[in-house]
Amino acid sequence: MEGKLEEAAAVTNKTIKLKKIILIVCVFAFANSFAQTAQDTTKVYKKRVLETTEVDFLTSYYAQDGDNAAVSGGIGTEELTDITGTFVVSIPLNDDDVLTIDAGVSAYTSASSSNVDPFDDDSPADPFQASSGASSSDTWANLTGSYSHSSDDRNDIWSAKIAISSEYDYFSVGVGGSYTKLFNEKNTELSVNTNVYIDTWNSIYPSELRPFGENGNGLNNSLFTQNTITGNTNYTPRFNEFQDEGRNSYSLGLGFSQILHKNLQGSLALDFVQQQGLLSTPFQRVYFGDVADSFIDNFQLADAIERLPDSRLKVAVGGRLNWYVNEILSVRTFYRYYYDDWGINSNTASIEVPIKITGKFTLYPSYRFYNQTAADYFRPYEGALTTDEFYTSDYDLSEYTANQFGFGISYTDIFAKAHIWKLGLKTIDLKFYQYDRDTSFSSSIITAGFNFVMD
């Protein structure tokens, strides 16, 4: 009897152990199943970087005028108009990756650049009048493709891009990349970006200098035999064609952004640009103060073309401070200090005050201040001397102060009720800027941007 009881107890123990094993296996199986389900749920419900394809159409009309054209040696009209159109298409490849294609075309007409050859029509040549020649207009085209990848937690973002642009006198290829790191619950952001641009000029020289270039016939050229030179009739310019028409630009940018308060965000940026190669603009004239003037009609013949060093280092450091005052008003401020090894130092300060007047409309009044010192090589009209090694009469490199006033309005349709084909209209931005220097230069620009989302 006792043996039977021991045997029954052993069976019972085995049964209990078996049940425990089965229970443990079930627990592990359930845990594994739960973990797998959680992972699957994460995969299914992970927020996409870009929910759907977005299309932006950007356009602008720009006009400028002034009396210090670099094409005609620091005097003459700077009149120019430009119309630009750009399409930007952002395509989500999956939850983490976005491909962006940016294609733009810019067409301009320029009274200033028309005077690269002021003698190509029947009108008397004059630096303050436009010529009707081929250089009076041109088209610039650009195509940029970029790819970005975000980590699962959205704290790491990598991007790469390639760009191609072309105009009548140059061709450019660029590559670049960036890395952004977010931490401190996404309240802090660090970024680094770098770009390399390889440019090739197709040098276009002032028409009166071309006969003095390689294989030219000097004053025996038809330009001089068919027109009368007045003033100094012994016209002997200083002119040599550029042998190296390449230009390389390398840039490195560092950024830091911090949310300082629920209503306050600040950021800092440090940028370096190194340029090497042909940094002179081949068709910009220079007049020497120690050489007698020569003319055809009312146009003074160039003594030389712009000559600048073949390297330039640029450094800029700046910061932004954005304050969300309330649901109606925000304040965005910016400051940047810039200097380069050509002797230019500049300050830029701006403020924009978005005012939300309704749930869909926001106003954007803005102001921007800028000043700079002159480059070491800047010379005004007839300020250069034949003893100078480098010289330019480009007033973009002169000392000046500028003010820009702007105003914009934005329309936002969060639910994209308005449609064009399969695209829902998400936002419209219209802005106007008026820019004035304390020289004779002024410009204005109207921009429009339309953001669509694919249904």
Side-chain angles (χ1 to χ4, degrees), residues 144-427:
T144 301
S146 61
Y147 167 84
S148 67
H149 171 79
S150 299
S151 61
D152 288 339
D153 59 9
R154 303 298 184 249
N155 287 331
D156 299 272
I157 305 169
W158 297 265
S159 72
K161 73 173 184 180
I162 183 169
I164 299 174
S165 59
S166 178
E167 198 173 355
Y168 81 101
D169 61 344
Y170 87 93
F171 179 79
S172 176
V173 176
V175 295
S178 67
Y179 171 67
T180 300
K181 176 69 176 180
L182 291 85
F183 52 95
N184 188 23
E185 297 183 348
K186 293 183 170 60
N187 289 319
T188 306
E189 178 180 311
L190 291 174
S191 64
V192 58
N193 66 82
T194 183
N195 295 281
V196 177
Y197 289 93
I198 310 299
D199 304 337
T200 302
W201 284 88
N202 177 22
S203 295
I204 307 296
Y205 301 105
S207 58
E208 69 270 30
L209 295 180
R210 297 170 199 170
F212 296 91
E214 187 176 353
N215 300 321
N217 55 352
L219 291 176
N220 293 319
N221 185 269
S222 59
L223 172 64
F224 305 111
T225 59
Q226 296 177 12
N227 293 278
T228 301
I229 298 178
T230 59
N232 177 20
T233 58
N234 184 27
Y235 177 55
T236 53
R238 176 193 291 183
F239 177 64
N240 291 298
E241 297 177 0
F242 291 111
Q243 299 303 308
D244 183 2
E245 296 186 326
R247 177 179 60 192
N248 300 338
S249 301
Y250 311 92
S251 69
L252 173 67
L254 305 173
F256 170 75
S257 177
Q258 177 67 48
I259 296 177
L260 305 170
H261 180 269
K262 65 178 181 179
N263 293 348
L264 192 66
Q265 181 184 33
S267 64
L268 297 172
L270 178 62
D271 295 289
F272 302 90
V273 177
Q274 176 68 53
Q275 293 183 296
Q276 295 176 331
L278 180 53
L279 305 184
S280 306
T281 303
F283 53 75
Q284 295 189 167
R285 292 176 175 86
V286 170
Y287 299 115
F288 294 131
D290 54 353
V291 172
D293 301 338
S294 301
F295 295 85
I296 291 180
D297 298 330
N298 297 322
F299 199 94
Q300 186 173 346
L301 304 180
D303 293 325
I305 56 173
E306 175 181 270
R307 292 282 176 176
L308 292 168
D310 59 4
S311 68
R312 187 180 188 184
L313 174 64
K314 306 177 182 181
V315 181
V317 58
R320 297 181 183 274
L321 193 63
N322 298 332
W323 179 29
Y324 176 81
V325 180
N326 52 46
E327 62 181 11
I328 296 176
L329 182 68
S330 298
V331 179
R332 301 171 182 172
T333 62
F334 170 75
Y335 172 77
R336 182 185 65 192
Y337 172 73
Y338 164 94
Y339 73 91
D340 62 32
D341 58 2
W342 285 8
I344 292 180
N345 294 265
S346 73
N347 297 277
T348 304
S350 68
I351 183 170
E352 184 179 61
V353 185
I355 304 170
K356 194 169 186 179
I357 55 175
T358 71
K360 292 185 177 181
F361 288 94
T362 303
L363 303 180
Y364 293 90
S366 65
Y367 169 72
R368 178 179 179 269
F369 170 83
Y370 178 84
N371 69 1
Q372 73 171 39
T373 60
D376 297 336
Y377 318 111
F378 173 75
R379 304 289 184 270
Y381 167 69
E382 292 198 333
L385 301 174
T386 55
T387 54
D388 293 335
E389 180 181 7
F390 300 114
Y391 35 77
T392 177
S393 295
D394 185 347
Y395 271 70
D396 287 345
L397 300 178
S398 70
E399 179 181 4
Y400 67 86
T401 297
N403 296 279
Q404 177 179 279
F405 295 90
F407 184 80
I409 185 169
S410 174
Y411 167 82
T412 302
D413 184 355
I414 298 176
F415 301 103
K417 295 178 181 178
H419 285 74
I420 297 178
W421 187 54
K422 295 183 179 180
L423 299 174
L425 179 59
K426 188 177 179 181
T427 61

